[in-house]
Amino acid sequence: MERACAAAAPPAPEARMWRGKGRALLAFGLGVAFEALAWWLLRWRRRRLGTSSSPVREVLFFPSRVTCVEGLLAEEEAAAARRAPCACPLPHGESALSRLLARVLSARRSLDLCLFAFSSPQLRRAVVLLHRRGVRVRVVTDADYMALRGSQIGPLRMAGIQVRHDQETGYMHHKFAIIDKKMLITGSLNWTTQAIQNNRENLLIVEDRDCVNIFVAEFEKIWENYNPVNYIFFPQKEKQVLKKNKT
Ligand code: ZN
């Protein structure tokens, strides 16, 4: 009887205090665990996207060592193919081209290209791959150079990518790319096999908001200047002759 009474008695104040402390500790522990999980997930996602937590600042020099870049270019769906060792005779380490490709392929929303010459099949494949993934790709190029043999501008257009070109006497001589409006790739390098494999060239890759915004504004300006509605198909003199003949 005495025992039953003792069991039904309310917990001592000390026991209540310990229970309260236990709950607080549990809540604290859960909070810490949740935060750690969120941090780990964020890191995992960044690593998967090929981005790091600190802003990118990278310099690449060319000519690039000739390496196999098939693994980078393999379609995402063919992950197994990517893991399988490639049997081609080329070395499979890192190179300036593979680093450039990795940066380009990190685009998730947009890729704006302003390139004087574009004839690298590997870079064309990367750009088309992004387009297929749903990344908005826009290309600005030089009218004279895009018509040269080996230019990849035709295949880019065939793939459904928007391309605009100049109508000026001077060259559209820029060589820059903007990824997701937050990463800038700029330097002397034209995206040509000749430049990649033979020339001394440089590329600066930065995630610097102020710098990138200036290039974004310039790209938008050029993109609008080269809008096909502004194309002049006949020089002014010829237009006047055509008008005269009509009347
Ligand atoms: Zn290979």
Side-chain angles (χ1 to χ4, degrees), residues 70-160:
E70 286 306 309
L72 271 171
L73 291 168
E75 292 277 357
E76 254 187 2
E77 304 84 70
R82 191 187 303 174
R83 280 194 297 271
C86 178
C88 86
L90 292 174
H92 289 81
E94 234 181 27
S95 64
L97 174 61
S98 77
R99 295 292 307 153
L100 172 59
L101 279 167
R103 292 299 182 196
V104 171
L105 286 167
S106 73
R108 289 297 175 268
R109 289 177 298 282
S110 66
L111 173 69
D112 294 324
L113 288 177
C114 210
L115 287 169
F116 173 57
F118 190 158
S119 69
S120 161
Q122 289 97 339
L123 282 158
R124 186 257 304 154
R125 282 171 64 190
V127 172
V128 172
L129 190 57
L130 290 176
H131 170 68
R132 282 201 205 121
R133 281 181 189 162
V135 172
R136 187 193 184 201
V137 180
R138 294 183 294 175
V139 180
V140 162
T141 192
D142 185 80
D144 297 331
Y145 266 69
M146 72 180 208
L148 293 187
R149 201 174 161 182
S151 169
Q152 297 296 322
I153 296 298
L156 288 177
R157 279 188 159 150
M158 296 275 278

Side-chain angles (χ1 to χ4, degrees), residues 1-244:
M1 192 65 188
E2 257 180 42
R3 244 183 239 163
C5 284
E14 203 175 321
R16 273 208 305 271
M17 187 185 79
W18 279 111
R19 204 177 294 165
K21 273 188 178 173
R23 278 189 194 136
L25 266 174
L26 183 69
F28 177 74
L30 279 173
V32 168
F34 181 74
E35 217 164 277
L37 181 69
W39 177 81
W40 182 84
L41 277 172
L42 196 71
R43 263 186 66 126
W44 173 80
R45 192 169 173 271
R46 277 181 177 153
R47 222 178 287 164
R48 199 163 167 261
L49 295 179
T51 56
S52 62
S53 50
S54 50
V56 171
R57 291 163 73 90
E58 187 175 14
V59 176
L60 299 177
F61 291 114
F62 294 80
S64 173
R65 194 165 68 95
V66 177
T67 60
C68 174
V69 289
E70 286 306 309
L72 271 171
L73 291 168
E75 292 277 357
E76 254 187 2
E77 304 84 70
R82 191 187 303 174
R83 280 194 297 271
C86 178
C88 86
L90 292 174
H92 289 81
E94 234 181 27
S95 64
L97 174 61
S98 77
R99 295 292 307 153
L100 172 59
L101 279 167
R103 292 299 182 196
V104 171
L105 286 167
S106 73
R108 289 297 175 268
R109 289 177 298 282
S110 66
L111 173 69
D112 294 324
L113 288 177
C114 210
L115 287 169
F116 173 57
F118 190 158
S119 69
S120 161
Q122 289 97 339
L123 282 158
R124 186 257 304 154
R125 282 171 64 190
V127 172
V128 172
L129 190 57
L130 290 176
H131 170 68
R132 282 201 205 121
R133 281 181 189 162
V135 172
R136 187 193 184 201
V137 180
R138 294 183 294 175
V139 180
V140 162
T141 192
D142 185 80
D144 297 331
Y145 266 69
M146 72 180 208
L148 293 187
R149 201 174 161 182
S151 169
Q152 297 296 322
I153 296 298
L156 288 177
R157 279 188 159 150
M158 296 275 278
I161 290 170
Q162 302 179 78
V163 178
R164 291 185 181 178
H165 58 78
D166 68 323
Q167 273 216 316
E168 298 149 356
T169 48
Y171 288 128
M172 200 311 294
H173 211 235
H174 283 308
K175 299 129 183 119
F176 69 84
I178 306 163
I179 291 167
D180 294 336
K181 300 209 186 300
K182 65 174 195 180
M183 191 194 294
L184 171 70
I185 302 176
T186 186
S188 66
L189 185 84
N190 273 305
W191 287 16
T192 65
T193 305
Q194 155 70 25
I196 290 165
Q197 291 186 3
N198 302 311
N199 294 358
R200 289 210 179 271
E201 309 273 5
N202 70 80
L203 276 185
L204 178 68
I205 305 175
V206 282
E207 281 182 327
D208 178 299
R209 192 181 294 178
D210 294 342
C211 220
V212 172
N213 285 347
I214 294 169
F215 275 82
V216 167
E218 183 64 13
F219 182 88
E220 295 298 343
K221 194 178 90 186
I222 299 172
W223 184 251
E224 212 30 63
N225 284 351
Y226 295 174
N227 189 328
V229 299
N230 299 325
Y231 287 176
I232 301 162
F233 292 98
F234 301 102
Q236 290 303 315
K237 272 186 188 171
E238 281 181 39
K239 257 190 180 174
Q240 281 165 6
V241 172
L242 282 171
K243 243 186 182 177
K244 258 188 187 174

